[in-house]
Amino acid sequence: MIYLDNNATTAIDPLVADAIRRVWDLGPLNPSSQHRIGRLARNLLDEAISRLGKALGADVDSPGGDSLVLTSGGTESNQLALQGLGDPDGPLVISQIEHPSVLEPARAAASAGRTVRVIPVDADGRIDLPAARRFIVEAAPRAALVSVMSANNETGVIQPIDELARICQEAGVPLHVDATQTVGKLPFDFGRSGVTAITAAAHKFHGPAGVGLLLVRSGVELRPMFRGGEQQLALRAGTEPVALAVGMAEALVLAAAHFETTSRLEALRVRLETGLLASFSELVIHGRDCPRLPGTSCLSFPGADRQAMLMALDMAGVACSSGSACASGSSRPSHVLAAMGVPDSQIDTALRFGFSRFSSLEDCERAIERISRQYQRLRDRAEVPVENLSISLDRDPSQT
C-alpha cells in the first residue's frame, strides 16, 4: 500500500515508539503519586513538557510562563480553547473552512444563543482579511475570541495568520490557531507569533495517537472543560499519559530536525501533480496558486465520482481520502471546497493526497501510475453508453 493520507494521520517514527516503550517498561507511572515511582513519573512528564515548549518557541519552564495543557488530541484541544478562552458570552469569530472540531462546537454555541461570525474565504481558500477585520474590530459588540486554522486540512492552503494576529492584537482580542496541520511540518515560533493559543496533535507529525496539546500564552486565563482532579494546575483533570507525552515530545524534536525535508516534500507534491496533469489536463488542483503545505495536494478528477475513485485506488494499493478524516465516513461533500465556490461537479470528484517525510520518490512514481490507470478506467466506463452495458435475458448464456 502506498500511503498518501498523511493529513489524516502519520506512521509513528520508530524512534518515537522506542521512547514510549522505554517509559512503559518502567512500570505503572502516575505523576500525582508521592512515592519514588510517582516522582519519577513527574520528572519524565515535566521534562517532556519542557521539550515541547522549547520546540515550539514557548516559555513553559518559568513561573507564570506559558501554559502547555496535555489533551487527548486536536479535537479536545480545539474545544478547550473555544470554551475556555475569552468571554464565553461574547461573539465568537471562526472561518468557513474550519475543521469539524471547531465548526460543530460553534454551531452548538450559536444554537444556545451565542453570536458566531463566520469569515468567508476567497476562491483560493484563504480567509478574507478585510471581512475578518470587520467581524473582529468594527462589528458590535466586539469579538471575544477568534479561532482560525493555520493551514487547511483538505487543500493544504496556508492561512495569513501573521496578518490576522496583528488585527487581533490591535483589537485586544485573543486568537486561537488550530495548528494541527502545521506543527511538526513547518517551523513555528510561538513566542514571536502574536497568537494567544495553539492546538497540536502528536499523530500528525509521526507521534502517537491519543495525545495533543493546547499551548496558551502567559497571563491568559483558561477555563477548564473537565473538572475533577488537580492535574495540570486544574486546567485539565485526569491522570496524565506520561509515555504518550514523552512520545509527543520526541516526535516534535525529531520533526524539527527534519524541516529541511520540506523542499523534498514539495518536490514530491509537484511531481504528483505534474505527472497526472501530463496525461489528464482536465484535472483541477485546488489552491494551486497559494502557499500550501509542502506535502498536500487536493485534486478533482472530472468524470469520476470521488467515492468510486477512492475505493478503486484503495483496491489498487493507494491510500488517500475524499476530505477531512473526521467527516469522510459520512461521504458528505467538502464544505471547504464549497466555501471556495468550487462547482459541485469538481467537489464531487475531489480527492486529497498527503506525503510525509517517510514518503519516497518511488512511492510518488508508483502512485502516479496507479492513479492514472484507475482514473482512466473509471472515466472510460462513465463514457460507455448505457445500452452497450445491457445483457439480454433471452440470450444463450454460453454466448455472453
Side-chain angles (χ1 to χ4, degrees):
M1 177 67 76
I2 302 170
Y3 187 76
L4 297 182
D5 198 17
N6 286 284
N7 292 60
T9 194
T10 58
I12 193 167
D13 189 313
L15 295 176
V16 174
D18 287 344
I20 294 171
R21 189 177 300 110
R22 287 195 297 271
V23 176
W24 278 337
D25 286 346
L26 294 173
L29 298 174
N30 188 327
S32 297
S33 297
Q34 298 301 306
H35 46 63
R36 183 186 306 171
I37 300 176
R39 295 196 299 274
L40 170 62
R42 171 55 55 188
N43 289 338
L44 289 170
L45 185 65
D46 289 346
E47 181 184 1
I49 291 173
S50 178
R51 294 182 77 197
L52 286 166
K54 289 176 181 176
L56 292 169
D59 178 12
V60 299
D61 296 320
S62 301
D66 302 322
S67 300
L68 194 154
V69 182
L70 296 173
T71 68
S72 60
T75 293
E76 183 190 334
S77 293
N78 283 342
Q79 299 199 27
L80 176 58
L82 293 185
Q83 295 184 33
L85 294 171
D87 179 357
D89 298 319
L92 169 65
V93 179
I94 62 171
S95 85
Q96 287 180 303
I97 58 170
E98 295 306 307
H99 188 271
S101 61
V102 168
L103 288 177
E104 292 306 319
R107 287 193 183 104
S111 297
R114 185 175 188 181
T115 298
V116 177
R117 301 170 185 157
V118 183
I119 305 169
V121 297
D122 61 22
D124 291 318
R126 282 167 66 89
I127 63 169
D128 183 334
L129 285 172
R133 178 177 288 278
R134 289 196 304 273
F135 291 158
I136 297 168
V137 179
E138 300 170 10
R142 179 165 291 189
L145 174 65
V146 179
S147 181
V148 172
M149 58 173 45
S150 55
N152 188 257
N153 52 299
E154 293 188 31
T155 64
V157 171
I158 297 172
Q159 299 301 316
I161 296 300
D162 290 343
E163 295 92 328
L164 185 64
R166 282 193 286 271
I167 293 172
C168 290
Q169 284 180 317
E170 292 170 8
V173 176
L175 170 61
H176 164 251
V177 173
D178 177 2
T180 305
Q181 291 295 334
T182 52
V183 166
K185 298 176 183 178
L186 295 173
F188 178 80
D189 189 326
F190 182 74
R192 298 180 179 179
S193 67
V195 306
T196 307
I198 65 165
T199 286
H203 72 108
K204 302 293 188 180
F205 47 86
H206 302 291
V211 64
L213 62 85
L214 179 67
L215 181 59
V216 182
R217 194 167 296 280
S218 171
V220 175
E221 179 187 2
L222 177 68
R223 296 179 300 278
M225 185 167 63
F226 298 152
R227 298 184 183 277
E230 297 298 313
Q231 293 92 345
Q232 303 196 66
L233 301 177
L235 294 176
R236 202 272 191 180
T239 302
E240 303 94 332
V242 178
L244 296 184
V246 169
M248 178 163 59
E250 183 72 10
L252 189 56
V253 170
L254 287 170
H258 288 88
F259 279 150
E260 72 276 4
T261 63
T262 296
S263 58
R264 187 179 70 82
L265 290 179
E266 188 169 2
L268 290 177
R269 185 196 74 199
V270 170
R271 174 61 191 134
L272 176 73
E273 293 173 351
T274 56
L276 292 173
L277 283 171
S279 299
F280 308 101
S281 59
E282 70 272 21
L283 298 187
V284 179
I285 303 172
H286 299 290
R288 182 177 189 174
D289 298 325
C290 275
R292 285 182 285 159
L293 293 173
T296 301
S297 181
C298 183
L299 296 164
S300 283
F301 295 82
D305 175 78
R306 72 184 194 281
Q307 288 300 119
M309 187 74 174
L310 184 70
M311 296 305 295
L313 290 177
D314 184 39
M315 295 296 291
V318 177
C320 61
S321 73
S322 60
S324 169
C326 295
S328 58
S330 64
S331 282
R332 288 179 294 181
S334 168
H335 71 282
V336 173
L337 298 182
M340 293 164 60
V342 174
D344 289 346
S345 59
Q346 293 181 15
I347 296 176
D348 292 339
T349 63
L351 294 178
R352 178 187 68 185
F353 303 91
F355 294 95
S356 82
R357 74 169 187 265
F358 292 131
S359 302
S360 67
L361 179 59
E362 180 185 3
D363 290 335
C364 184
E365 296 296 343
R366 287 189 297 138
I368 293 170
E369 178 185 354
R370 295 181 189 185
I371 295 168
S372 298
R373 187 186 312 124
Q374 296 308 315
Y375 178 46
Q376 184 69 59
R377 183 178 65 83
L378 290 175
R379 194 177 63 168
D380 289 347
R381 188 172 68 180
E383 293 174 355
V384 175
V386 174
E387 58 268 22
N388 291 350
L389 296 176
S390 63
I391 298 175
S392 172
L393 295 179
D394 297 328
R395 186 181 303 170
D396 184 341
S398 65
Q399 301 299 314
T400 61

